[in-house]
Amino acid sequence: MLTNYFAQIALAKAVLPFMIQQQYGHIVCISSVQGKISIPNRSAYAASKHALQAWCDSCRAELADQNIKVTVISPGYVQTALSLNALTGTGQIYGVMDKTTQEGYSPEYVAHRILEAILKDEKDVVIATLTPKLAIYLRTLCPTLYFWIMHKRAKKSEKEA
């Protein structure tokens, strides 16, 4: 929560008075696909990104009349060392490159897409492959089916552990 939510909110609140004074600004927050949908075994991470998504959605409405824009970026997997440096439940370094992270988008592509979103004044951007985008729609349009699929995924990951 400190990094994924509170840090971004603190930064936005620090610059908001100046944006309000000049009647212009653009807040850009980096969330995650998991700010829109959650997958098993990522509850704390997903909660922090869900909170950020909600904060951005509220602020976008509250600040629109003051010409302050809010963009929330929700990337899927990005090729970083995140999984290598992640900690396990026991506090040990995970030290393994997850296949999904390794096959994710390059940081350069994600940065380019973020810049493009800012220049086009996009409000809510998902940078992900087709499967996560379909899951977002499924979660919205048919939540019962989505929850059933996530339950099956959780059971499968339990067996693999």
Side-chain angles (χ1 to χ4, degrees):
M1 287 300 288
L2 285 174
T3 301
N4 292 335
Y5 177 72
F6 289 116
Q8 293 190 69
I9 304 312
L11 179 59
K13 285 187 171 187
V15 298
L16 262 173
F18 302 103
M19 291 181 177
I20 291 169
Q21 182 181 3
Q22 67 186 15
Q23 290 288 294
Y24 180 78
H26 198 149
I27 297 168
V28 180
C29 291
I30 306 299
S31 183
S32 168
V33 165
Q34 290 187 54
K36 300 203 172 277
I37 57 168
S38 301
I39 60 174
N41 304 312
R42 302 287 190 272
S43 57
Y45 179 79
S48 68
K49 295 302 188 173
H50 274 284
L52 184 63
Q53 178 76 47
W55 187 87
C56 289
D57 290 350
S58 294
C59 279
R60 185 180 303 111
E62 295 164 5
L63 298 169
D65 288 342
Q66 297 176 63
N67 199 30
I68 298 171
K69 300 169 183 143
V70 177
T71 299
V72 61
I73 306 290
S74 300
Y77 293 106
V78 182
Q79 296 168 0
T80 66
L82 181 66
S83 65
L84 292 173
N85 298 313
L87 299 179
T88 66
T90 63
Q92 300 295 315
I93 293 177
Y94 182 60
V96 177
M97 176 60 78
D98 287 341
K99 182 181 179 193
T100 51
T101 302
Q102 188 173 350
E103 294 174 354
Y105 288 117
S106 72
E108 295 81 10
Y109 172 78
V110 174
H112 175 79
R113 185 63 189 94
I114 292 169
L115 179 58
E116 182 180 68
I118 293 167
L119 293 173
K120 291 181 176 181
D121 290 333
E122 295 180 59
K123 292 171 179 43
D124 195 340
V125 179
V126 175
I127 305 171
T129 59
L130 182 61
T131 301
K133 287 180 177 180
L134 289 175
I136 292 167
Y137 288 116
L138 184 61
R139 168 68 172 87
T140 303
L141 300 174
C142 190
T144 302
L145 178 57
Y146 171 80
F147 295 140
W148 180 81
I149 292 169
M150 288 302 110
H151 175 75
K152 294 298 179 190
R153 183 173 174 168
K155 288 293 195 188
K156 181 180 175 186
S157 69
E158 239 177 54
K159 290 177 185 177
E160 292 172 354

